[in-house]
Each structure stands twice: as C-alpha cells, then as structure tokens.
Amino acid sequence: MKNINLFKNLNYEDYLSKNPIHELVGVNLEEYGNIDSKQVKPTFFSVDPTNQDSYPPELDDLIRLHYLVTTRKVTTVMEFGLGKSSIVLANALSINKEKYSNDVSKLRRSNPFELHSIENNIGWIEYTKKHSDNTLGDNNDIVNLHYCPLEVSEFNGKMCTYYHNIPNVSPDLIYLDGPDQFSAGGSLRGLGTNHPDRMPMAADILSFEHFLCPGTLIVLDGRTANARFLKCNLQRNWSYCHDYDLDQHFFELVEEPLGIYNNDYINFALGADWFSDNDIDFSNK
C-alpha cells in the first residue's frame, strides 16, 4: 500500500466561501476559530458511555468530506454512523446530482446520488427523521437511513463488531465513523468492546471487500486501531494513507478496471490520468 494525496489542491477558506458548510451544521465562524485546525476535546469525551450529546461539528473534517465527494464526482455513499457528516455528504451529493445527472445516467451506477447512513441507535434515527427539515434540508430524497443492530462477533478468530441489515448497494465512497464501542451486544469468549480502554473494531467492510469496484475510497475519521485492523486484513490492492495531522485514514482501491463499465466510471469520476498516477498499465484506457 502506498500513500495517496487527496487534498493537495484544497484551500479551506476558498472552498468554504463557495460551499458554506458551516451554515448547514450551524457553526458561527466568528466563534469557531481556525477552520483548518482540529478542535481539542476532553480526554474521555469520546469514550464516556454516559455522554448523550452529539459530537460538535469539526469543520476541517466536514470540508474535506464535502471536497472528496465533489472533486471525485462520487455517486453513492455508504456512511457508518449518523451525524453532521450526513448533512454535509447529502449536500455534496446534491451538487453532483445537479451537475452530472446526464453523465451518470450513461454509467452502470444503480443507486446514483444516494447516501445510505447506517446507525444502530434507533432513537437517533427517529430524531433525525422527525427533524429532517432542519437537519437534512432539501436533501431528504438523497438520504436513506438504515437501522442496523450491532453485535460483537469475530473475523478469523479476532474480536470485532458487525452491523446487521446493511443496505445492499455498491458505494464509491465509504465513510467509517461508527459505531461507538459501547453499543454492541454480546461478547466473544467474555471479551467485548464495552470498556473505555477498548476501541471500535468494525469488520463490515471486510465482508464485502471483493464486491467493491476499483476507484472506491474508504475514509476513517480517527479510529486508528480499526484502520490498522482493516489494513492487516484487506486482501486487494489498496493505497493507504494515515494523515497524523488530520487524524484520518484513507484507503483507495487501486486495480485495473473490472471491465468496460468500471473503466467508464473511472474515466468519468477520476479521469484517465488516474491509471498512470497509480502505475496501472491498462491498454484499453
């Protein structure tokens, strides 16, 4: 796996001026601080099982997500975890829908301009539905919310978690930002993730890795242990980057196209240079 550089042309301030993401998630720029810097949280903020507050928006993460969807002309997003990212991803997909509907209609993409958000907290799903006009705006038709119960299981004998009832779609971008470590039921020989010193360990992507198409991008927000678990067990040719400053991980499936339809998609979404940039010798470019 080799490093990938996805943000070399991203200017945060310029992108935000053209795409006011802060307005979508209710952020006052005058009070927020630097939009391209990480927000420091208390030590146990993300591992407190009694915390019922949603995580505050992190503009740098949200700007990068929006940028990836629009610049890569993403059509179908699978999102693990429901939150502010859902609002931003839906908005980016709506922009792509407006720009590229005619082009995508000629491609083999059966769920164009759809966001599929997977969540194990039914209360959070019901709240989002109830307040969808405020949370999702005009993009309700793009967002598909899936209640997916969560349990502790194993992958090749290693403890992990799996969602049930995952939507049967083929995403070109996967955003792994869930589940938390306290929600999974069950255990593996007495072991579970329900402890402040454990960490999330989702294995869902491994179960359908071989159905993903070349050009697919996986993004993890934090979750370094889970990213390393994926890196150890993914079997195909993935380019990988852990950006310590961003606290994010990126996996891109870099292979020859599966056939003419996948080739057409790559040329549309990523450009013909994607092959040479990734040292892929594909004679039918």
Side-chain angles (χ1 to χ4, degrees), residues 5 36 50 55 59 149 186 192 233 239 272 274 284-285:
N5 188 350
D36 58 351
T50 66
Y55 293 160
L59 281 183
N233 290 286
S239 291
W274 185 84
N284 193 29
K285 298 177 187 177

Side-chain angles (χ1 to χ4, degrees), residues 17 22 26 28 30 40 43 59-60 89 115 123 125 131 135 149 165 167 187-188 207 211 213 222 236 248 262 266:
S17 68
H22 58 290
N28 185 329
E30 293 182 358
V40 179
T43 302
L59 281 183
D60 62 319
L89 289 168
L115 168 63
I125 290 178
H131 301 276
T135 57
N165 304 323
S187 64
L188 179 67
S207 67
F211 291 93
C213 294
R236 298 171 69 184
Q248 289 187 319
N262 183 212
I266 290 174

Side-chain angles (χ1 to χ4, degrees), residues 141-161:
D141 60 326
I142 287 175
V143 181
N144 300 270
L145 305 179
H146 302 271
Y147 171 58
C148 300
L150 184 73
E151 72 171 2
V152 171
S153 187
E154 63 177 289
F155 182 86
N156 290 339
K158 307 294 192 297
M159 182 178 68
C160 62
T161 62

Side-chain angles (χ1 to χ4, degrees), residues 58-269:
E58 297 233 11
L59 281 183
D60 62 319
D61 292 346
L62 297 177
I63 290 171
R64 286 192 297 273
L65 269 183
H66 198 280
Y67 176 85
L68 286 175
V69 173
T70 57
T71 58
R72 293 174 68 89
K73 302 179 184 177
V74 170
T75 64
T76 311
V77 178
M78 179 179 286
E79 175 191 34
F80 291 90
L82 179 63
K84 302 296 185 184
S85 57
S86 310
I87 303 171
V88 170
L89 289 168
N91 178 264
L93 283 171
S94 72
I95 292 173
N96 287 357
K97 182 177 182 179
E98 184 176 349
K99 288 184 176 180
Y100 307 120
S101 287
N102 289 337
D103 297 307
V104 172
S105 67
K106 303 170 187 176
L107 302 174
R108 183 176 283 183
R109 300 299 298 163
S110 299
N111 299 91
F113 313 113
E114 292 181 4
L115 168 63
H116 292 267
S117 298
I118 296 165
E119 177 58 56
N120 60 280
N121 187 326
I122 188 65
W124 185 227
I125 290 178
E126 293 303 324
Y127 175 86
T128 303
K129 289 180 177 178
K130 183 178 180 180
H131 301 276
S132 60
D133 288 343
N134 294 327
T135 57
L136 301 177
D138 298 328
N139 298 316
N140 282 295
D141 60 326
I142 287 175
V143 181
N144 300 270
L145 305 179
H146 302 271
Y147 171 58
C148 300
L150 184 73
E151 72 171 2
V152 171
S153 187
E154 63 177 289
F155 182 86
N156 290 339
K158 307 294 192 297
M159 182 178 68
C160 62
T161 62
Y162 288 105
Y163 287 99
H164 291 274
N165 304 323
I166 289 179
N168 191 26
V169 298
S170 179
D172 42 351
L173 188 145
I174 300 172
Y175 182 50
L176 183 56
D177 194 33
D180 66 80
Q181 66 212 61
F182 299 104
S183 299
S187 64
L188 179 67
R189 298 186 296 278
L191 296 172
T193 62
N194 188 13
H195 187 281
D197 296 340
R198 294 278 193 226
M199 57 278 294
M201 203 61 63
D204 305 275
I205 295 172
L206 298 175
S207 67
F208 57 83
E209 176 195 0
H210 289 282
F211 291 93
L212 297 174
C213 294
T216 299
L217 182 70
I218 302 171
V219 181
L220 284 82
D221 190 13
R223 300 174 178 266
T224 296
N226 202 162
R228 292 177 181 176
F229 175 68
L230 293 177
K231 186 173 182 290
C232 287
N233 290 286
L234 288 168
Q235 297 180 342
R236 298 171 69 184
N237 188 40
W238 294 88
S239 291
Y240 168 71
C241 174
H242 177 196
D243 192 310
Y244 288 88
D245 294 331
L246 305 182
D247 191 27
Q248 289 187 319
H249 301 259
F250 306 92
F251 296 83
E252 185 177 31
L253 186 51
V254 177
E255 294 178 340
E256 291 185 5
L258 299 176
I260 57 173
Y261 301 113
N262 183 212
N263 181 54
D264 289 344
Y265 164 77
I266 290 174
N267 275 295
F268 158 74

